[in-house]
Amino acid sequence: MKLLDQLGITYPIIQAPMAGGATTPELIAAVSDFGGLGSLGAGMTAPAALNSQIDMIKTLTERPFMVNLMVLSDQDASTFDTSMPDWLTQYYREHHIKAALPDRPAQSFAEQLQVLYENPVSVVSFTFGIVSIEQVQRLQQLGTCVIGTANHPLEAQAWAEIGADAVCLQGMEAGGHRGGWLPESEADPLGLLTLIGQTRACTDIPLIASGGIMTGQGIRAIQASGAQLAQLGTAFLTTDESGINDIYKQALLDTSLGNRSTETRLTRLFSGKQARGLVNEYLLDFAVFDKKDELPPYPQLNAMTSPMRANAAKNEDAEHLSLWAGQGVTQVRQERAITLLERLVQEL
């Protein structure tokens, strides 16, 4: 069965599950109702809130939608075992920002996953790690399709071996956090078409492609290379239904208007894990510290920089926000999600 039919969608378009409030129920429902696959980025969402959001989406659409979780161990999600970097402490002191840390750096993955056992959805995807074969089978027994995320062919193979229904290949062009977990995926980041080709040569698991795709022509290109569906993130960030704040949204739009540098960069400075975003003052000012061995790991650094990002949002300061964006960012438009979707389908 083709992946399009297995997921119950009409068009080969998945709206990427971007955590942090970007993927509102309204955006998800708009994409799913159109015939694509809307997705909830729930990796940073408390279990009770996740359950409520799933219920809300189910009231807005009867079509399939996806929920995405970040795979974290209990130890990683619950423990601060590194100190805040001196340069970040100094930044908070100089800018009079109270840098109080939460009790734990991230939500409990086990508790989030339990929500999906008790309140099943059509599709679940995972990023930042891999689950067990038992967890895959339990979800599938509930009627849920399971999708893994990979930045390297070895990661895609690992998902195939535990029985995942598909793998989303995330090329180095993609905005936001890289979803892989093996050292190989960090050492030599692969472009999307190269990643598709190398993965296709070692496994026949159905593939979804993500990274820099902004047009129907881009979707056709990845299909010609061996992927069945395309997952688009940055293109949806500037739609009316997107939940990102106006400062972030305007920074993205400014790249398309020639009012801001279009340079993006893979960085660990915001969270401790590689992620691609627009270059701003924060990335430039602290670039010397952007080294894996010198930074607290994810999710600890992510929690440590949260007060800075919250203060930046409050003060409408795009230069200290994490402006996640893929390399296709100059093609964003301010429009309704359905307008974007109609254009993509017309271009197919």
Side-chain angles (χ1 to χ4, degrees), residues 15 23-34 36-41 53 57 61 64-66 241:
Q15 163 251 308
T23 51
T24 63
E26 293 76 15
L27 174 59
I28 295 160
V31 176
S32 290
D33 281 344
F34 183 81
L37 187 68
S39 305
L40 176 65
Q53 289 176 4
I57 297 165
T61 182
F65 65 92
M66 179 165 73
E241 296 88 347

Side-chain angles (χ1 to χ4, degrees), residues 70-231:
M70 301 169 179
V71 181
L72 294 172
S73 69
D74 290 339
Q75 171 77 11
D76 288 342
S78 64
T79 306
F80 284 102
D81 59 11
T82 57
S83 300
M84 185 177 293
D86 291 342
W87 53 267
L88 186 56
T89 300
Q90 182 178 347
Y91 174 86
Y92 284 139
R93 188 183 304 118
E94 291 176 352
H95 291 82
H96 309 290
I97 299 172
K98 185 177 180 181
L101 295 179
D103 293 336
R104 53 186 297 146
Q107 299 293 328
S108 166
F109 170 71
E111 293 178 9
Q112 292 173 322
L113 186 58
Q114 186 63 34
V115 172
L116 299 180
Y117 292 149
E118 297 174 0
N119 194 358
V121 297
S122 298
V123 188
V124 172
S125 67
F126 297 99
T127 190
F128 293 9
I130 191 167
V131 297
S132 69
I133 189 170
E134 292 79 14
Q135 290 167 323
V136 169
Q137 290 174 347
R138 184 172 178 184
L139 287 166
Q140 290 171 333
Q141 288 165 1
L142 293 168
T144 299
C145 289
V146 177
I147 297 174
T149 304
N151 297 133
H152 192 278
L154 290 177
E155 293 168 341
Q157 275 187 302
W159 280 107
E161 288 167 1
I162 63 168
D165 294 286
V167 172
C168 180
L169 298 179
Q170 185 189 39
M172 65 175 293
E173 304 93 337
H177 283 91
R178 287 172 61 74
W181 70 96
L182 294 177
E184 290 88 343
S185 71
E186 291 190 13
D188 184 19
L190 297 173
L192 182 56
L193 295 183
T194 300
L195 179 57
I196 293 172
Q198 291 188 9
T199 303
R200 189 75 294 148
C202 66
T203 177
D204 59 0
I205 191 170
L207 300 180
I208 299 162
S210 173
I213 305 168
M214 303 290 289
T215 64
Q217 293 93 329
I219 296 172
R220 291 207 312 269
I222 61 96
Q223 289 180 315
S225 298
Q228 294 188 34
L229 310 180
Q231 181 168 285

